[in-house]
Amino acid sequence: MEGKEEDVKLGANKFSERQPIGTSAQSDKDYKEPPPAPLFEPGELKSWSFYRAGIAEFMATFLFLYITVLTVMGVSKSNTKCSTVGIQGIAWAFGGMIFALVYCTAGGHINPAVTFGLLLARKLSLTRAVFYMVMQCLGAVCGAGVVKGFEGSKNYERLGGGANVVAHGYTKGDGLGAEIIGTFVLVYTVFSATDAKRNARDSHVPILAPLPIGFAVFLVHLATIPITGTGINPARSLGAAIIFNKDHAWDDHWIFWVGPFIGAALAAVYHQIVIRAIPFKSRA
């Protein structure tokens, strides 16, 4: 009886969490925080795995641009704006799942904004980040170039070349804000869906990372296609702009670099400092 009365008196405070959540999940048994990546790592330049990863970035971004831009240009012939936006969103959602599958299986980023966010989170070195971004941009240019080859110059220009521009009726500030928020959603979802700490804590809850990432890309495109055509990937915007090469494609191009980089930075800061903050622990 005494034990039961004490249980009632103390209530839930007598027992600790069976399945700790949030920062309380940080323990020596289930997860250990890996050390941050060095800013410069010259030894990487002598490693074949470094260049192999760069080639993978090139090929993945090439396929990403080829599949998505060609699909978007195909459905752009539709006369119904609503159906066009919906189909474009679905097309880019599949593209997002392709990115997520490559990211989760091979560590590919396919997006300079994602690479920038991971750099700020100290998940990779500056040397590797710059190399990845260069290969992503080269892959994007080649992917858009192949699309132009299939469509033909005349048809390619008539359909806009898949280039990102701020739509009529919206200001540059609108476009910048849409790119910041859209990229924040994407990069934060990437951080959360691939978080090793969360996986260690919630190992009993299986989550296939490509699904939330692809779904996030889908929702972002539904929201921002009418505003900017949805960039949220500077390599994708650069590749399409270079191959399309019209003045109006370059007028607002800065938005599709500044916006995604700001969004990625905010996502990295929010996830690393707010969500994954490791509390101070007093050890007796």
Side-chain angles (χ1 to χ4, degrees):
M1 287 295 292
E2 290 182 1
K4 290 183 178 180
E5 290 176 0
E6 190 175 351
D7 285 349
V8 173
K9 185 187 294 185
L10 295 176
N13 294 327
K14 181 180 179 182
F15 301 99
S16 60
E17 281 281 353
R18 299 294 183 186
Q19 180 64 41
I21 60 176
T23 54
S24 63
Q26 180 76 15
S27 69
D28 295 334
K29 294 183 179 180
D30 60 351
Y31 179 77
K32 289 186 178 180
E33 192 74 21
L39 190 59
F40 296 102
E41 197 168 359
E44 287 184 323
L45 300 176
K46 301 178 182 178
S47 171
W48 162 242
S49 63
F50 176 79
Y51 297 99
R52 181 177 59 190
I55 295 171
E57 289 291 335
F58 173 88
M59 290 302 301
T61 312
F62 170 84
L63 293 174
F64 180 72
L65 263 289
Y66 169 74
I67 294 172
T68 52
V69 173
L70 190 60
T71 303
V72 167
M73 289 181 64
V75 301
S76 293
K77 301 174 184 178
S78 172
N79 294 323
T80 306
K81 184 176 181 180
C82 181
S83 66
T84 300
V85 172
I87 296 173
Q88 284 183 350
I90 293 172
W92 283 102
F94 279 110
M97 290 184 184
I98 292 171
F99 149 69
L101 284 168
V102 174
Y103 178 84
C104 295
T105 57
H109 303 166
I110 321 180
N111 186 336
V114 173
T115 301
F116 181 66
L118 293 172
L119 171 65
L120 294 181
R122 302 294 300 276
K123 301 295 185 183
L124 73 164
S125 66
L126 178 62
T127 310
R128 185 175 290 268
V130 171
F131 183 52
Y132 278 12
M133 291 181 190
V134 171
M135 297 303 286
Q136 289 159 1
C137 291
L138 290 175
V141 172
C142 292
V146 171
V147 172
K148 183 176 181 178
F150 283 154
E151 289 287 339
S153 297
K154 196 171 185 180
N155 200 35
Y156 184 82
E157 293 180 5
R158 182 175 63 83
L159 296 174
N164 290 119
V165 295
V166 177
H168 294 294
Y170 294 96
T171 65
K172 295 182 187 296
D174 295 333
L176 182 63
E179 289 296 308
I180 291 174
I181 296 173
T183 310
F184 176 89
V185 172
L186 169 62
V187 176
Y188 176 70
T189 304
V190 170
F191 272 110
S192 298
T194 60
D195 188 357
K197 180 179 177 181
R198 183 200 60 78
N199 292 334
R201 184 192 70 210
D202 300 330
S203 57
H204 63 291
V205 182
I207 295 180
L208 187 60
L211 293 179
I213 295 175
F215 191 61
V217 171
F218 171 69
L219 292 178
V220 169
H221 276 78
L222 288 183
T224 57
I225 280 176
I227 305 173
T228 62
T230 309
I232 68 173
N233 185 334
R236 172 259 186 275
S237 300
L238 178 66
I242 288 177
I243 299 301
F244 186 56
N245 199 27
K246 298 295 180 182
D247 289 341
H248 68 276
W250 292 110
D251 290 341
D252 303 328
H253 186 69
W254 64 271
I255 290 173
F256 302 100
W257 282 87
V258 176
F261 272 46
I262 293 176
L266 292 175
V269 170
Y270 178 66
H271 185 264
Q272 293 297 111
I273 296 180
V274 178
I275 300 301
R276 294 186 85 251
I278 301 173
F280 291 102
K281 294 182 179 180
S282 59
R283 296 187 181 273

